[in-house]
Amino acid sequence: MTSMLSDSWLRRASRQAGEEQRGRRRRERFLIAGVLTAALSLGLAGPWVASAGALTLTTPYPVMAVQPGQTATLAVNVANPDVARVDLSIAEAPEGWVVSLRGAGKEVSAIYADPQSPPALELRVDVPTDAAKGDYKVVVRATGAGAQLDLPLTLRVTQEASGGTSLQTDFTTLRGPSDAAFRFSIDLQNAAPDERTYNIAGQGPEGWKVSLLPAGAERETPSLTVQGDGSQRLNLEVTPAADTPAGSYPVTVTATGGGEKAGLDLTIEVTGTYDLVLTTPDERLNADIKGGGSTRVPLVVQNNGTGPLQGVSFSATPPTDWKVAFDPQTIDVLDAGEEATVTAVFTPAGNAIAGDYAVSLSARADQAMANTDLRVTVTTSTWWGIVGVVLIAVALGGLLLVFRRWGHR
């Protein structure tokens, strides 16, 4: 009996000790919660924690260094002891900056704060490429659970942001005709200490072919990995659309990875294609000229390219002692798709006999040239024909007189 009473007393003592221990733990948790609430209400937790009642809005990175043209992402936490809808917005952002709150990879404007499963949120900031150095303020606002909170953040724009991603090239502008292929060599640099995987893309005007691939690769790839504190050479090849007019055209390259986005703006100056043609109005490369004088032969010069031709001049390689002149001698500008008429003045040599002759004609501009061979047929003049007929008539008349005189004997 004594043993049974002793066991019962021990069990009651043990239960009483356990209840006292659990009570002490509850009192400790309440004390910690009270201290934290007091700290939040007094602002002792720092500007990166916003609190109103039980609703809190926090971030682990209240100040972040960024680079112009970079995309920065910051984690944002919304907490409430009960499940409640919380509306989110960007209350303040620098002019020209693109700032959004994202969840599950998409832009969001409201969440349900669940203490058992807090939603994962991030603030995404696209820094303009022309952003000047300095500190910029972004304010995230949360409204719900009977409260409204503002969380101020500071983005510090520097050219040397640690862990940055950058795209660099020696030449940002290339110039040439529209039928050429333009090639850029680009370095993708990862200044972060850890390895990063980047999505890379190139974009040009509509209808242009843009190929971006790692150096040494034979095929394009949408992503690549760059070692920490390393770089990767990229080859960008751009082929303009057929018959692209002369002008300046933008091409962009982007690399996104590790929560950052780097961009590179390039320019291609298309000078147009140059195609010069020299022919005749009926495109028959022959002409008849008369001996003993000058003959004017019309020619047509055409610009079948997409760029203007400057300073078109003309020349000829005629037979010995011939002369060939042009009217006009030069054309200052021949615009794309246009044609002009030029007159070639042929003066054969004085002793040129009737027959066919080959004369080489040339049209030359600053950007292109054209050659054509013209078959020239020399015919005797009408005057010499008349003289020949008269001589023949005189000869026949003389023979007739001779036959008459001597025919009677």
Side-chain angles (χ1 to χ4, degrees):
M1 175 64 71
T2 302
S3 176
M4 292 177 61
L5 291 175
S6 177
D7 291 342
S8 175
W9 181 84
L10 288 175
R11 284 194 297 271
R12 285 197 301 271
S14 176
R15 284 196 298 271
Q16 184 177 359
E19 290 176 357
E20 291 177 355
Q21 185 177 5
R22 286 192 293 271
R24 283 196 303 271
R25 290 177 180 175
R26 283 195 297 269
R27 287 192 295 273
E28 290 174 356
R29 286 198 295 269
F30 283 123
L31 179 61
I32 292 173
V35 172
L36 179 60
T37 301
L40 290 173
S41 63
L42 294 174
L44 300 178
W48 55 91
V49 178
S51 173
L55 181 66
T56 60
L57 180 64
T58 64
T59 180
Y61 309 113
V63 180
M64 177 177 285
V66 295
Q67 292 176 307
Q70 178 184 0
T71 297
T73 57
L74 298 85
V76 175
N77 305 310
V78 179
N80 197 63
D82 300 316
V83 177
R85 175 191 169 106
V86 179
D87 293 318
L88 302 170
S89 63
I90 305 301
E92 182 178 342
E95 184 178 358
W97 291 40
V98 180
V99 182
S100 62
L101 285 164
R102 305 178 73 84
K106 299 183 181 298
E107 188 171 349
V108 297
S109 58
I111 62 167
Y112 275 103
D114 187 345
Q116 302 299 324
S117 180
L121 285 174
E122 67 176 16
L123 178 72
R124 177 171 174 171
V125 181
D126 293 333
V127 184
T129 56
D130 59 351
K133 291 184 179 181
D135 290 349
Y136 296 83
K137 184 179 181 182
V138 174
V139 177
V140 180
R141 176 167 294 171
T143 305
Q148 178 175 295
L149 305 177
D150 283 346
L151 178 63
L153 306 169
T154 300
L155 295 176
R156 183 162 297 157
V157 176
T158 69
Q159 295 293 338
E160 300 82 17
S162 60
T165 298
S166 63
L167 290 166
Q168 299 180 1
T169 183
D170 292 334
F171 304 99
T172 59
T173 301
L174 294 180
R175 187 171 186 268
S178 60
D179 57 354
F182 298 85
R183 296 178 177 85
F184 295 87
S185 292
I186 301 170
D187 287 325
L188 170 57
Q189 297 185 346
N190 174 21
D194 57 322
E195 179 181 274
R196 287 182 175 179
T197 299
Y198 293 95
N199 293 326
I200 58 174
Q203 180 68 42
E206 184 177 358
W208 288 35
K209 181 181 179 182
V210 180
S211 300
L212 179 65
L213 63 162
E218 297 182 355
R219 296 182 180 180
E220 290 187 79
T221 176
S223 63
L224 58 86
T225 300
V226 182
Q227 300 295 325
D229 294 320
S231 64
Q232 171 69 55
R233 175 63 59 91
L234 304 175
N235 291 329
L236 176 70
E237 182 169 318
V238 182
T239 303
D243 300 328
T244 297
S248 296
Y249 297 88
V251 176
T252 59
V253 177
T254 58
T256 306
E260 297 178 348
K261 180 180 180 181
L264 180 63
D265 295 327
L266 306 171
T267 301
I268 291 180
E269 295 184 358
V270 175
T271 58
T273 57
Y274 303 106
D275 186 7
L276 185 61
V277 176
L278 182 63
T279 185
T280 62
D282 58 4
E283 297 185 354
R284 296 176 59 187
L285 299 179
N286 58 356
D288 295 332
I289 65 174
K290 297 177 181 179
S294 298
T295 303
R296 298 174 68 86
V297 177
L299 302 173
V300 176
V301 58
Q302 301 171 338
N303 180 1
N304 292 338
T306 60
L309 295 170
Q310 310 285 339
V312 183
S313 60
F314 306 94
S315 61
T317 306
T320 304
D321 296 331
W322 285 43
K323 293 182 180 180
V324 180
F326 295 91
D327 182 22
Q329 294 182 349
T330 60
I331 299 175
D332 293 335
V333 179
L334 187 61
D335 290 329
E338 292 190 354
E339 64 178 35
T341 300
V342 179
T343 300
V345 183
F346 289 85
T347 304
N351 59 352
I353 61 176
D356 293 338
Y357 297 83
V359 180
S360 295
L361 305 176
S362 298
R364 184 185 299 271
D366 295 341
Q367 301 87 358
M369 65 175 298
N371 295 314
T372 187
D373 292 329
L374 190 67
R375 188 183 69 179
V376 177
T377 301
V378 176
T379 60
T380 56
S381 66
T382 305
W383 172 252
W384 284 110
I386 295 174
V387 172
V389 171
V390 172
L391 292 176
I392 292 174
V394 171
L396 291 175
L399 290 175
L400 181 60
L401 291 175
V402 170
F403 283 126
R404 284 183 177 181
R405 174 175 294 182
W406 296 101
H408 296 288
R409 296 183 179 182

